[in-house]
Amino acid sequence: MNKFISILSLAALVGFSAAAQFPGGPGGMGGQRGDGNGRPNNAQQTPQLNLDGNAPKGNSKISGFVVDEAVTTAVEFANVALYNKATNKVVDGTMADEKGKFSLTRVAAGEYKLVISFIGYADKVIDNIKVEKGKDIDLGVIKLSTSAKQLDEVTVTAEKSMIEEKVDRLVYNAEKDITSKGGDAADVLRKVPLLTVDLDGNVSLRGTSNIRVLINNKPSTIIASSIADALKMIPSDLIKSVEVITSPSAKYDAEGSGGIINIITKKSSIEGLTLNLDSGVGVRGSNLGLNGNIRKGKLGISMGGGGRAFYNKAATSLDQSTLRGGNTVLTKQTADAFDNGLFGRYNLGFDYDIAKNQSLTAGINLGTRNFIRTQDYTTSLYTNNVFNSTAYRNVDSKDLSSSIDVNLDYIRTFKPSQEWSVSTQYSKSNLKNNFLADLLNESGGLTSRQKNLNGNTNQEFTLQTDFQTPIKQNQVFEVGVKGIFRQVNSDFSYLFAGPTGDFATDARNPSGLLDYSQNIASGYMSYTYSTKNKYVFKVGARYEYTTIEAKDQVKDINIPSYGNLVPSVNVSKTIGATTLKAAYNKRIQRPGLQQLNPNFNAANPQNITIGNPSLRPEITDNFELSASANIKKVYLNASVFGRQTNNSILRLSAPSDTLAGAIVTTFENIGKQQMYGTNIFGNLNITPKWSVNAGIDLYYSYLEGMAQGSDGVSSLISNDGVVIGGRLQTQIQLKNGWGIQGFSFFRGNQIQLQGTQGSFYMYSLGFRKDFKNKKGSLGLATENFLGGIKVKTTLNSAQFNQVSVNNIYNQNVRLTFSYKIGNMRMVEKKTKSVKNDDVKAGESNNMNN
């Protein structure tokens, strides 16, 4: 612990020694260009652009930073219009990025004026701009003054694209998605390029599930426990956008070998009061959400939340054979399942402006998950093809959890792009994974009962500080330190009872506990440099030192401390309308709670799972090359990537030593993974109101590791194959507020060390009618209306063969309704938050929750 504190203290001294210099910021991509529908007007009206299609193009650039003159903070996404002084026509336009920076390229020589506008601000006009051929103009910091006029209604006619690409991430604007309303976060993520979400809600990025998921740049212990479970707690109506970061900079935690997914929920920076209602009812689920915001002067308060109930049916079959004592035991099993659950997420937030350049934000987020599954198993055993016995088992499984995240953040802005922040967060989740099994005879009579109790607590405290400052006008330096203190506790036991007696300890099955403490000290430095010929270099390094103390019921578990130096390099080059990128980074992946939990889960005694508290982290090297281009009405992005993971955490299955015909699955650091592939996606605006976007993912996967042979001796095995997936989505805006959206998705077989997980597909169609006052909408959506989904998984080794089939009856039709009330004026909101891009989350075993 002394070494841990010393590292954190040394990094803190480095962080506070950075010196401030002239305001500026990194070059790179500005906002998206306007589509030429309208012209700019004053801040109290809808800003529009009407571009002069005959305007000449040149090779000069006009750039600058837009800030609020009162608080000297960036005005994000301000509208920028360039007028030809001679014709008074708009010849170019763009939007400022999240740092207030904008850039107009390909400007021809001539005389211009620039008009900058944003809701809640008075228009800013910069006149007499003279552009000489081949020379760039930097307007520096441009200050906007706020407008005192109150808005009864804000009308936005220029819409974001469904998919946007920024300098370091891909953004999917989920608030434009019609078909996901009434669903959960997993329904939204299925439509995001580069991501794959299976029927259980397990997420993978470019073929790997070793990712980190954040909510509003913040971690949560429920996500650390299971990403799939966490996604079911977030109603889709609360999601504004999803950010996919495939090559994180040094500022992000080193965890998440495949990358980072950041889910941004809807929130308002408003003056006044608003209230939003989202609801839906369907064949397979219903939802209700209510969110309110109020702001007066320096204080803002937000409160809200949403809940979702679902219900579904499934049927499974299992055929497996194992070698045991020279005999072959064949298992044939069928099961019918009925699932129902209730999920919710609720929040209370505050923000207060201490001064013009200082603010405090605080928040409390609560989550709840109640998932109940009822299954009826029929299991027949054969020894050397001779019938042995049939067993009947009814199982009620309960997967229950509650979580709380509390944060307090301070940010001080010295001047544009120069800020210092301190962020804290406490997070805790309580989980219960219990089951009750009734063992029956052939006539349905109760013969005995079995119960498994498994309680888990996962809590962490985070403290971090960050500082960034511009250097001249084309460089940015960032530095920060962070400490994460985690505690995981798990206890489990088995109870047994006769048909009429009370439950007592079941000596035939193990019981135990796990106490697991993990502390991480880290520090980073990052440097961004932009050149006049449109190169952007972002390099950095992060060092993390991890200490672990663990013990089970009888002994201490020896897991050595370890340190990791994690470099990252990102380079981009813009050539006309094309952007080229290259990136390299090293990442680590620590095991999550479900991999560590030593509970012996025998809800299905023929297919048992158990965690491994001795797991060590994975180390991954990532390489990526990409190109993107805007060609008239078409946006295209193509990338190739490579990834190698050493000390890989893989699922490993083997026959049980004690239960006839059973297979036990656990997790081991036994191998390595290599993956090489490509992603191609694009967006086509057929008309201003009809767009189509599509993508294809293709990669080669190779895995190798150690597994036991038929003689009980471990040997090296491997598996490889090509995986393909894709998605297609279209959206049409019709007259009188009507809209239509269709979506389809396909994922091919997934390669595992001991076999493959089968392919599946999904599709949906949705309609929406916006009310005339733009304050509400009514929608109808349907999913998989032609039939359910079938997934076949095959595993094999020298000791066993297993084929499992899951049939999911998830046809769904739902009706949605949303409405908002209130008057508002947009204001700048300053936020800074904890980002723990950290633990490897477990995989869910609950089909289509």
Side-chain angles (χ1 to χ4, degrees):
M1 177 60 73
N2 290 335
K3 187 174 183 179
F4 177 87
I5 295 174
S6 298
I7 292 173
L8 195 60
S9 301
L10 177 61
L13 291 175
V14 174
F16 288 111
S17 65
Q21 297 190 38
F22 188 84
M29 295 176 62
Q32 288 192 327
R33 297 202 172 202
D35 58 6
N37 300 324
R39 68 184 190 280
N41 217 324
N42 62 46
Q44 279 69 46
Q45 297 175 347
T46 302
Q48 297 178 339
L49 290 177
N50 187 7
L51 296 183
D52 182 0
N54 296 318
K57 299 297 182 182
N59 58 356
S60 297
K61 180 176 72 173
I62 299 175
S63 61
F65 282 87
V66 185
V67 302
D68 186 314
E69 70 172 3
V71 293
T72 64
T73 53
V75 178
E76 299 180 358
F77 313 119
N79 300 289
V80 181
L82 184 67
Y83 284 78
N84 185 302
K85 286 201 67 176
T87 63
N88 202 35
K89 290 184 177 181
V90 180
V91 296
D92 206 350
T94 187
M95 285 193 302
D97 63 16
E98 63 273 9
K99 295 183 181 294
K101 181 177 175 62
F102 70 87
S103 179
L104 295 168
T105 59
R106 301 181 66 192
V107 179
E111 295 187 5
Y112 303 92
K113 71 174 180 179
L114 199 70
V115 179
I116 302 174
S117 60
F118 192 68
I119 298 169
Y121 293 90
D123 285 1
K124 180 76 171 183
V125 179
I126 301 176
D127 214 340
N128 298 322
I129 299 175
K130 295 182 180 180
V131 176
E132 298 179 13
K133 184 177 180 179
K135 294 186 178 181
D136 296 340
I137 295 178
D138 187 350
L139 298 176
V141 176
I142 302 169
K143 297 182 178 180
L144 299 188
S145 59
T146 56
S147 172
K149 184 174 181 179
Q150 183 78 10
L151 292 182
D152 294 329
E153 180 179 347
V154 176
T155 302
V156 179
T157 58
E159 295 186 354
K160 293 181 180 179
S161 299
M162 184 74 78
I163 300 170
E164 297 180 281
E165 186 186 14
K166 297 188 177 181
V167 174
D168 61 344
R169 67 197 66 196
L170 176 101
V171 181
Y172 178 82
N173 291 306
E175 60 187 343
K176 293 172 61 62
D177 190 344
I178 297 174
T179 58
S180 291
K181 280 188 171 294
D184 56 30
D187 297 321
V188 175
L189 265 61
R190 284 191 179 97
K191 302 174 183 179
V192 180
L194 310 183
L195 301 184
T196 300
V197 184
D198 68 15
L199 297 177
D200 294 331
N202 299 309
V203 184
S204 61
L205 170 57
R206 288 176 169 170
T208 178
S209 59
N210 299 340
I211 56 177
R212 183 55 171 161
V213 176
L214 306 176
I215 302 175
N216 294 325
N217 295 311
K218 296 180 175 68
S220 175
T221 51
I222 189 64
I223 296 179
S225 303
S226 170
I227 291 177
D229 291 349
L231 296 181
K232 295 177 179 69
M233 294 168 57
I234 307 173
S236 61
D237 303 275
L238 297 183
I239 299 176
K240 178 182 179 182
S241 62
V242 178
E243 301 177 344
V244 181
I245 309 171
T246 57
S247 185
S249 69
K251 187 173 184 178
Y252 291 93
D253 290 345
E255 194 77 22
S257 58
I260 295 171
I261 301 171
N262 188 22
I263 299 173
I264 305 297
T265 59
K266 296 176 182 177
K267 53 185 179 292
S268 297
S269 301
I270 59 167
E271 185 79 33
L273 172 67
T274 62
L275 189 66
N276 297 292
L277 170 69
D278 292 290
S279 61
V281 59
V283 176
R284 298 296 180 191
S286 300
N287 67 286
L288 177 64
L290 189 65
N291 292 273
N293 297 271
I294 184 171
R295 184 177 185 90
K296 186 66 177 177
K298 296 182 176 181
L299 178 64
I301 301 174
S302 63
M303 178 185 297
R308 176 174 176 262
F310 82 91
Y311 16 90
N312 201 12
K313 294 192 302 180
T316 64
S317 65
L318 178 70
D319 290 289
Q320 64 188 31
S321 61
T322 61
L323 290 175
R324 186 186 184 199
N327 296 317
T328 299
V329 179
L330 176 65
T331 301
K332 291 185 175 293
Q333 183 184 83
T334 60
D336 292 321
F338 180 78
D339 302 336
N340 64 85
L342 182 63
F343 308 130
R345 185 172 177 85
Y346 317 95
N347 64 82
L348 175 64
F350 304 88
D351 64 271
Y352 181 74
D353 296 331
I354 302 172
K356 291 182 178 181
N357 63 339
Q358 300 179 68
S359 67
L360 278 176
T361 60
I364 301 174
N365 289 273
L366 304 173
T368 181
R369 168 184 166 85
N370 295 273
F371 173 73
I372 299 174
R373 163 171 283 189
T374 301
Q375 289 178 287
D376 301 329
Y377 290 99
T378 300
T379 305
S380 298
L381 297 181
Y382 300 79
T383 302
N384 296 326
N385 292 322
V386 177
F387 174 75
N388 189 3
S389 64
T390 297
Y392 303 91
R393 183 181 179 94
N394 294 347
V395 180
D396 292 331
S397 301
K398 293 184 177 181
D399 186 355
L400 314 175
S401 68
S402 61
S403 65
I404 181 171
D405 303 315
V406 182
N407 68 282
L408 178 63
D409 309 312
Y410 167 82
I411 181 172
R412 176 166 182 170
T413 302
F414 300 96
K415 51 187 175 182
S417 296
Q418 186 185 78
E419 63 183 31
W420 170 58
S421 64
V422 179
S423 303
T424 63
Q425 177 169 289
Y426 173 75
S427 185
K428 181 178 181 180
S429 64
N430 296 303
L431 303 95
K432 292 183 178 180
N433 294 281
N434 304 334
F435 75 79
L436 173 64
D438 292 340
L439 281 66
L440 312 175
N441 56 31
E442 292 186 4
S443 60
L446 180 66
T447 61
S448 61
R449 310 182 77 190
Q450 185 184 48
K451 182 186 294 186
N452 173 221
L453 303 177
N454 180 208
N456 305 279
T457 301
N458 191 357
Q459 56 186 331
E460 65 181 45
F461 175 73
T462 303
L463 174 64
Q464 74 179 64
T465 182
D466 301 276
F467 179 78
Q468 73 170 38
T469 184
I471 302 173
K472 297 182 179 179
Q473 299 182 35
N474 64 335
Q475 303 166 63
V476 171
F477 176 72
E478 298 172 278
V479 64
V481 295
K482 185 175 187 178
I484 306 174
F485 309 88
R486 291 196 176 100
Q487 179 68 45
V488 175
N489 304 101
S490 175
D491 62 83
F492 59 95
S493 61
Y494 273 86
L495 304 176
F496 180 81
T500 58
D502 295 330
F503 281 98
T505 300
D506 187 355
R508 298 170 300 175
N509 289 293
S511 62
L513 57 82
L514 172 68
D515 291 328
Y516 190 94
S517 298
Q518 181 186 84
N519 297 324
I520 305 168
S522 61
Y524 74 90
M525 290 184 182
S526 179
Y527 173 73
T528 304
Y529 178 74
S530 304
T531 69
K532 291 183 178 180
N533 55 356
K534 300 179 182 179
Y535 277 100
V536 179
F537 301 88
K538 189 164 189 176
V539 297
R542 185 181 189 92
Y543 182 77
E544 296 188 351
Y545 187 79
T546 305
T547 60
I548 297 174
E549 294 180 0
K551 64 178 181 179
D552 58 22
Q553 194 168 12
V554 296
K555 67 181 184 305
D556 291 336
I557 302 172
N558 183 27
I559 304 176
S561 302
Y562 54 90
N564 299 95
L565 179 63
V566 182
S568 66
V569 179
N570 290 271
V571 181
S572 69
K573 165 67 173 175
T574 300
I575 306 172
T578 302
T579 300
L580 306 176
K581 297 181 182 179
Y584 163 77
N585 63 76
K586 184 183 287 290
R587 309 287 291 169
I588 64 176
Q589 189 75 47
R590 299 180 181 90
L593 176 59
Q594 289 196 357
Q595 283 80 33
L596 297 169
N597 187 3
N599 179 46
F600 189 83
N601 189 335
N604 180 357
Q606 301 306 117
N607 198 9
I608 300 167
T609 59
I610 183 173
N612 179 3
S614 298
L615 290 174
R616 292 163 288 125
E618 303 174 338
I619 307 295
T620 299
D621 291 282
N622 293 292
F623 303 86
E624 178 181 356
L625 295 173
S626 69
S628 61
N630 285 287
I631 307 170
K632 295 183 178 181
K633 296 181 178 181
V634 179
Y635 169 77
L636 288 175
N637 180 287
S639 61
V640 293
F641 66 92
R643 178 190 306 123
Q644 173 153 328
T645 301
N646 296 316
N647 206 35
S648 182
I649 299 174
L650 299 177
R651 297 172 66 96
L652 187 66
S653 300
S656 170
D657 294 331
T658 57
L659 297 175
I663 292 177
V664 179
T665 299
T666 188
F667 301 89
E668 298 283 354
N669 292 105
I670 56 172
K672 72 176 182 180
Q673 292 179 285
Q674 294 176 339
M675 195 169 293
Y676 309 96
T678 182
N679 308 106
I680 302 172
F681 63 89
N683 187 82
L684 169 63
N685 293 310
I686 300 175
T687 72
K689 296 186 178 296
W690 183 11
S691 65
V692 177
N693 66 73
I696 185 170
D697 309 320
L698 179 68
Y699 58 88
Y700 169 78
S701 180
Y702 173 83
L703 299 92
E704 69 175 32
M706 303 297 292
Q708 284 188 354
S710 57
D711 56 0
V713 178
S714 294
S715 60
L716 185 68
I717 65 172
S718 64
N719 194 17
D720 67 337
V722 175
V723 181
I724 187 171
R727 61 193 58 80
L728 174 66
Q729 183 168 277
T730 184
Q731 186 170 18
I732 305 174
Q733 296 294 328
L734 302 176
K735 295 180 179 179
N736 301 319
W738 284 95
I740 304 175
Q741 181 175 305
F743 170 77
S744 60
F745 165 85
F746 168 77
R747 192 205 70 179
N749 292 340
Q750 295 290 102
I751 306 301
Q752 300 181 357
L753 178 63
Q754 295 175 301
T756 60
Q757 184 182 55
S759 62
F760 71 95
Y761 60 88
M762 300 183 72
Y763 53 90
S764 61
L765 181 65
F767 305 86
R768 184 176 67 189
K769 174 67 170 71
D770 292 329
F771 301 157
K772 288 185 178 180
N773 59 6
K774 302 293 184 180
K775 290 182 177 289
S777 66
L778 191 66
L780 179 69
T782 179
E783 301 166 348
N784 306 310
F785 44 84
L786 298 178
I789 297 173
K790 179 179 179 179
V791 180
K792 180 180 179 180
T793 300
T794 302
L795 301 177
N796 55 75
S797 74
Q799 294 181 305
F800 75 93
N801 292 283
Q802 182 189 77
V803 177
S804 61
V805 178
N806 289 279
N807 294 281
I808 312 300
Y809 308 116
N810 63 344
Q811 302 97 319
N812 189 25
V813 178
R814 59 175 177 262
L815 181 69
T816 63
F817 171 77
S818 63
Y819 197 80
K820 59 184 177 182
I821 61 175
N823 300 324
M824 63 182 184
R825 180 176 72 84
M826 302 299 294
V827 298
E828 177 75 10
K829 184 174 182 179
K830 302 174 286 294
T831 60
K832 203 73 176 181
S833 60
V834 166
K835 302 177 184 179
N836 288 357
D837 320 302
D838 205 359
V839 184
K840 179 171 183 174
E843 297 178 353
S844 170
N845 294 317
N846 302 321
M847 292 297 294
N848 196 44
N849 297 350

